[in-house]
Amino acid sequence: MSPTSETAHGGRRLVIVESPAKAKTIKGYLGPGYVVEASVGHIRDLPNGAAEVPEKYTGEVRRLGVDVEHDFQPIYVVNADKKAQVRKLKELLAESDELYLATDEDREGEAIAWHLQEVLRPKVPVHRMVFHEITKDAIRAAVANPRELNKRMVDAQETRRILDRLYGYEVSPVLWKKVMRGLSAGRVQSVATRLVVERERERIAFRSAEYWDLTGTFSTGRAGDASDPSSLVARLNAVDGRRVAQGRDFGPDGRLKSDQVLHLDEANARALAAALENASFSVRSVESKPYRRSPYAPFRTTTLQQEASRKLGFGAKSTMQVAQKLYENGFITYMRTDSTTLSDTAVSAARAQVTQLYGASYLPDRPRTYAGKVKNAQEAHEAIRPSGDRFRTPAETGLTGDQFKLYELIWKRTVASQMKDAVGNSVTVKIGGRSSDGRDAEFSASGKTITFHGFMKAYVEGADDPNAELDDRERRLPQVAEGDALSAEELSVDGHATKPPARYTEASLVKELEEREIGRPSTYASIIGTILDRGYVFKKGTALVPSFLSFAVVNLLETHFGRLVDYDFTAKMEDDLDRIAQGEAQAVPWLRRFYFGEGDDHNAGVASGAGNGDGDHLGGLKELVTDLGAIDAREISSFPVGDGIMLRVGRYGPYVERGEKDEEGHQRADVPEDLAPDELTVEYAEELLAKPSGDFELGADPESGHQIVAKDGRYGPYVTEILPDGTPKTGKNAVKPRTASLFKSMSLDTVTLADALKLMSLPRVVGTDAEGVEITAQNGRYGPYLKKGTDSRSLETEDQLFNITLDEALAIYAQPKQRGRAAAKPPLKELGTDPVSERPVVVKDGRFGPYVTDGETNATLRTDDSVEAITPERGYELLAEKRAKGPAKKTAKKAAKKAPAKKAPAKKATTAKKAAAKTTTAKTAAKKTTAKKTAAKSAASSASASASASAKSGE
């Protein structure tokens, strides 16, 4: 039956989708006989802590949320923040005659549909409604052609969820005990972290090599034009038949890989250039080959993330947020897909636009098809493309900002995928000459001309390497023939140095994970988000830099958990999980082998191989995490820097140390948390150790008699008083020591007792205004300021805190209050033009610290960013992230004010993790004084809640 108004006569149908935005769009395509409501994601999951587990379960089941002794039966609970929504769905179902479960057509969506069916327990017919684009025709077709729930997909998702829970809840506590509280481990996140750490290790071990060569500008002696230049630039290729060494010829140790190449140093290169100064040159060979480039396949999830990063400066998370909005509002097909396949309808739409926009000469005779490159891809979906049977051009969509940019990218890529190849010619010209000392020098130049641009008229793929040449770049060479004489207009001597391997960016890490077949492509954005949020990785520009903390974590996992972070082992686990999804393997025996190490020798390899052969040869995960005696916490968190200096990762951050504590000559200094590990050289470590450290006793306060000391804290140097023993520190009568930050002009080794007492005297009463309101001078987090009631005004310098007079203060208050804390200041740095807004981006100093802005969108710099180091790409990325989430928050705020009761569930949904963590912490704290049994239960709850952050993310 087609979903028209006539369906109302057949009863009422309840359609459940995941998100309110999706529900709103679909509702417009269905008749009045349909009610469309959102589940707001998962309504049921494994418990977030022991406190959520029903009382009938005890022991390990309460801690894990999985009954490992009874076929790994999961314990599901309705999320606390979803109970109101479940109640609403049940009420709607009670008034309905049919139920349509319209969640996404992937494992996660199938699992949500199954949980809905299990919780709602419908007594009416249930249909599984699937679609991969939200258009009128697609939705109506989905209603008319429902299917049954795919239990195999549900089982596959459940197996992954259980596996990730066991991994996260068993391995994370090891990190808490041996490295630091609050850390997490995950099946894919730990391997992704290891990749980033290994790249940094390569950079640390890297030794640069210097090499020189020559570049010549050679003239044909005739006038040139755009199609036939008069000169060409060629690089020295060989001397006396021996190839000149280039960067690729050196290993990471700075040495040549082969002695067959000629390594020129500066002196030899300059001598050769001088000897070639008056040489005669001629063309030795001209080699021409046809050039052909085929279109790129339509986007799948990972290639979209990579291109959005390269072209738009979006992070993986931002890309998926924008794509989600485009999908839910009916502009593109489903954005979590491994497929590069286009439906016949989509191919027809793309080919029609090729003819319409570029002409029939750009349309191939037959439609192009693309084979999937992803192993075990979920081919139920199409590639990511514009929705509908006629593609809207970007101008026709009415979209703006980030959504417009991403739609345009998807549209161009899809249309280009159905266009003809680009063709042309590539040419290599070799030029030879003999030096005055008899040496034969050969130069080489390469060119490329494109005679028919084909698909490149619509789209050209970006590159991860900013110095890489894009596909549509032409290099025209003069039309020369073998034997033609050339004159050298200029010979330049060029010095080069090999560079360490580039750090991963989000785009290149996604590419690496996919190529290694680690994890599922649809989860990469959340995995990268997790390792950033956990502090394992931070960003410098677009580069992903591992923290020292991640070095300690990866060191522990590699040393004591062997193949659990092995790339091939993790990829094999992914294969096993896919075999379970396809019905070729059983979930419970596989989980048993992984966890307990049981089974025959052939199959036990999955679990029993989890040790690394270094005294860690135990059978399954359970045994691996039980015997922790061999793990030396200090050893796994210590790394030699050189000259007797060790880098250690402590519970309060990284530090360098020379010698042992309490021994003569012992030195210790904190290391900046945003320091890239490859920048910690012996020289820099010596600088840190040479800086003053510890407490500086300044003397006693004449009035109180308390000792005053200067310290270096996490947020900078400060002065404080030492209160006498016995002074209450908690409760009603608690006394807090006076504390004050040092001015920017002060330092620990020069601050005096008088300075300290002066600083701790703040705030200073400047006087009162005509109405008797007191005006004070205060030093705040964002600088010095005046305060009169609730009216604050910025001061220009810290010295004004002590010398500003009442008249000067009143004069400041007599001025109209400016928006913000001060008048507009000149930008701290100019970054260039934003690729999205096409407006100039600058770094400014604001009330809450430095921020980037394009005049429309502002984004505060993160902890890991600095004004000096921020790159244009990082600035564009921060703006892109802000745009992706900014408007949604503003709308939510307004809605909350108008109808707080309705907004409450959605608010809880977006803060579920945080709320759960806070609740658990509060409960744990409240139960500290209770009986042992209760305390144990609380501790288990706290442990479970902390570990769940890793497992909850899926991998």
Side-chain angles (χ1 to χ4, degrees), residues 670 710-719 739-743 746-748:
D670 289 337
K711 297 186 173 190
D712 192 10
R714 291 191 70 182
Y715 306 105
Y718 66 99
V719 290
T739 300
S741 296
L742 266 59
F743 284 176
M746 299 175 176
S747 64
L748 281 174

Side-chain angles (χ1 to χ4, degrees), residues 456-719:
M456 290 182 185
K457 279 283 187 183
Y459 187 85
V460 177
E461 189 170 74
D464 292 321
D465 181 357
N467 300 315
E469 191 172 89
L470 299 183
D471 287 338
D472 64 341
R473 172 76 184 276
E474 289 189 285
R475 297 185 309 279
R476 290 188 177 272
L477 300 182
Q479 295 178 15
V480 293
E482 188 175 324
D484 286 359
L486 300 175
S487 61
E489 292 182 346
E490 181 185 4
L491 287 175
S492 62
V493 179
D494 304 319
H496 312 274
T498 56
K499 294 180 180 179
R503 291 190 178 101
Y504 288 109
T505 61
E506 288 198 31
S508 59
L509 182 58
V510 163
K511 185 177 181 182
E512 185 75 14
L513 288 168
E514 186 173 37
E515 286 179 352
R516 289 178 179 269
E517 298 174 357
I518 293 169
R520 300 304 309 168
S522 60
T523 66
Y524 291 159
S526 65
I527 292 298
I528 292 173
T530 298
I531 64 176
L532 284 165
D533 294 343
R534 291 285 174 183
Y536 293 148
V537 170
F538 61 93
K539 281 190 172 183
K540 279 201 169 182
T542 58
L544 297 174
V545 185
S547 63
F548 290 107
L549 173 64
S550 69
F551 269 68
V553 168
V554 169
N555 192 25
L556 185 151
L557 294 174
E558 286 177 332
T559 306
H560 298 280
F561 292 98
R563 289 178 62 198
L564 285 183
V565 286
D566 179 80
Y567 305 130
D568 293 337
F569 174 72
T570 308
K572 173 136 187 348
M573 273 206 292
E574 202 63 50
D575 287 343
D576 290 342
L577 289 167
D578 284 325
R579 285 175 56 241
I580 292 168
Q582 292 156 11
E584 297 171 7
Q586 297 298 311
V588 172
W590 188 88
L591 285 168
R592 188 176 291 119
R593 287 194 296 273
F594 173 79
Y595 192 69
F596 291 114
E598 298 174 359
D600 59 56
D601 292 340
H602 173 72
N603 290 322
V606 174
S608 63
N612 64 357
D614 184 19
D616 190 16
H617 53 275
L618 304 172
L621 176 65
K622 181 61 179 172
E623 283 187 276
L624 284 172
V625 299
T626 302
D627 184 11
L628 304 180
I631 302 178
D632 185 327
R634 182 177 172 83
E635 184 181 334
I636 58 104
S637 296
S638 300
F639 307 90
V641 178
D643 289 355
I645 302 172
M646 295 292 288
L647 179 282
R648 303 195 195 279
V649 180
R651 293 193 176 272
Y652 305 105
Y655 61 94
V656 285
E657 185 175 46
R658 176 185 273 138
E660 293 296 326
K661 193 175 180 181
D662 299 327
E663 288 184 3
E664 188 177 346
H666 174 255
Q667 291 176 287
R668 171 177 165 151
D670 289 337
V671 173
E673 293 193 7
D674 60 351
L675 180 73
D678 74 336
E679 294 172 10
L680 182 60
T681 60
V682 174
E683 294 74 23
Y684 185 63
E686 292 282 12
E687 280 182 36
L688 293 173
L689 292 171
K691 285 182 180 178
S693 60
D695 296 353
F696 288 77
E697 294 187 7
L698 304 179
D701 180 353
E703 291 187 15
S704 67
H706 299 163
Q707 282 294 320
I708 308 298
V709 296
K711 297 186 173 190
D712 192 10
R714 291 191 70 182
Y715 306 105
Y718 66 99
V719 290

Side-chain angles (χ1 to χ4, degrees), residues 214-505:
L214 274 61
T215 301
T217 303
F218 299 93
S219 174
T220 61
R222 61 176 184 266
D225 56 33
S227 62
D228 183 18
S230 62
S231 64
L232 75 161
V233 176
R235 188 175 292 280
L236 181 66
N237 182 56
V239 177
D240 289 336
R242 195 174 171 196
R243 188 168 64 81
V244 174
Q246 297 297 308
R248 64 179 180 274
D249 296 307
F250 295 89
D253 58 358
R255 297 179 180 180
L256 279 173
K257 298 175 184 176
S258 167
D259 57 5
Q260 300 300 308
V261 294
L262 175 65
H263 182 194
L264 285 180
D265 58 18
E266 182 178 7
N268 285 324
R270 293 194 182 282
L272 179 60
L276 289 168
E277 194 169 336
N278 299 312
S280 298
F281 293 93
S282 63
V283 177
R284 288 188 174 170
S285 67
V286 179
E287 186 181 359
S288 180
K289 292 180 180 178
Y291 167 84
R292 180 175 290 273
R293 183 72 171 85
S294 296
Y296 322 99
F299 282 131
R300 59 182 189 271
T301 302
T302 53
T303 51
L304 176 63
Q305 290 171 1
Q306 291 167 50
E307 273 294 84
S309 174
R310 297 168 188 142
K311 288 183 176 288
L312 305 179
F314 291 2
K317 186 176 180 181
S318 294
T319 299
M320 297 312 289
Q321 287 173 337
V322 177
Q324 180 89 31
K325 291 175 185 174
L326 290 173
Y327 166 66
E328 291 178 344
N329 290 303
F331 290 102
I332 63 170
T333 53
Y334 191 54
M335 66 286 159
R336 291 187 183 88
T337 175
D338 303 329
S339 175
T340 53
T341 302
L342 290 177
S343 66
D344 292 342
T345 302
V347 169
S348 298
R351 286 174 64 84
Q353 283 200 328
V354 171
T355 305
Q356 177 189 347
L357 298 173
Y358 300 101
S361 61
Y362 283 84
L363 187 71
D365 295 336
R366 288 176 297 186
R368 288 186 178 275
T369 57
Y370 295 88
K373 292 184 178 180
V374 180
K375 197 173 178 181
N376 299 313
Q378 295 189 59
E379 296 291 351
H381 306 138
E382 281 190 76
I384 304 169
R385 63 164 177 87
S387 60
D389 54 9
R390 179 197 169 275
F391 296 165
R392 285 168 282 188
T393 64
E396 292 173 328
T397 61
L399 294 167
T400 58
D402 291 350
Q403 290 189 47
F404 176 87
K405 291 291 182 181
L406 195 65
Y407 179 85
E408 183 181 47
L409 195 70
I410 294 166
W411 175 77
K412 284 182 176 180
R413 177 91 164 211
T414 308
V415 171
S417 74
Q418 291 301 315
M419 294 174 73
K420 279 186 176 178
D421 291 351
V423 295
N425 292 290
S426 61
V427 182
T428 301
V429 176
K430 291 191 176 176
I431 303 160
R434 190 165 291 278
S435 66
S436 58
D437 58 6
R439 285 184 287 175
D440 180 79
E442 185 177 87
F443 291 76
S444 179
S446 296
K448 181 177 74 176
T449 56
I450 300 174
T451 55
F452 178 71
H453 279 79
F455 75 92
M456 290 182 185
K457 279 283 187 183
Y459 187 85
V460 177
E461 189 170 74
D464 292 321
D465 181 357
N467 300 315
E469 191 172 89
L470 299 183
D471 287 338
D472 64 341
R473 172 76 184 276
E474 289 189 285
R475 297 185 309 279
R476 290 188 177 272
L477 300 182
Q479 295 178 15
V480 293
E482 188 175 324
D484 286 359
L486 300 175
S487 61
E489 292 182 346
E490 181 185 4
L491 287 175
S492 62
V493 179
D494 304 319
H496 312 274
T498 56
K499 294 180 180 179
R503 291 190 178 101
Y504 288 109
T505 61

Side-chain angles (χ1 to χ4, degrees), residues 8 18 77 130 155 181 269 288 315 340 400 510 553 587 621 639 648 715 723 747 788 820 879 908 927 953:
E18 298 100 318
V77 295
V130 293
D155 291 343
R181 290 289 301 179
S288 180
T340 53
T400 58
V510 163
V553 168
L621 176 65
F639 307 90
R648 303 195 195 279
Y715 306 105
L723 298 176
S747 64
K788 183 179 75 168
L879 290 174
K908 285 181 182 176
K927 292 180 181 179
S953 69

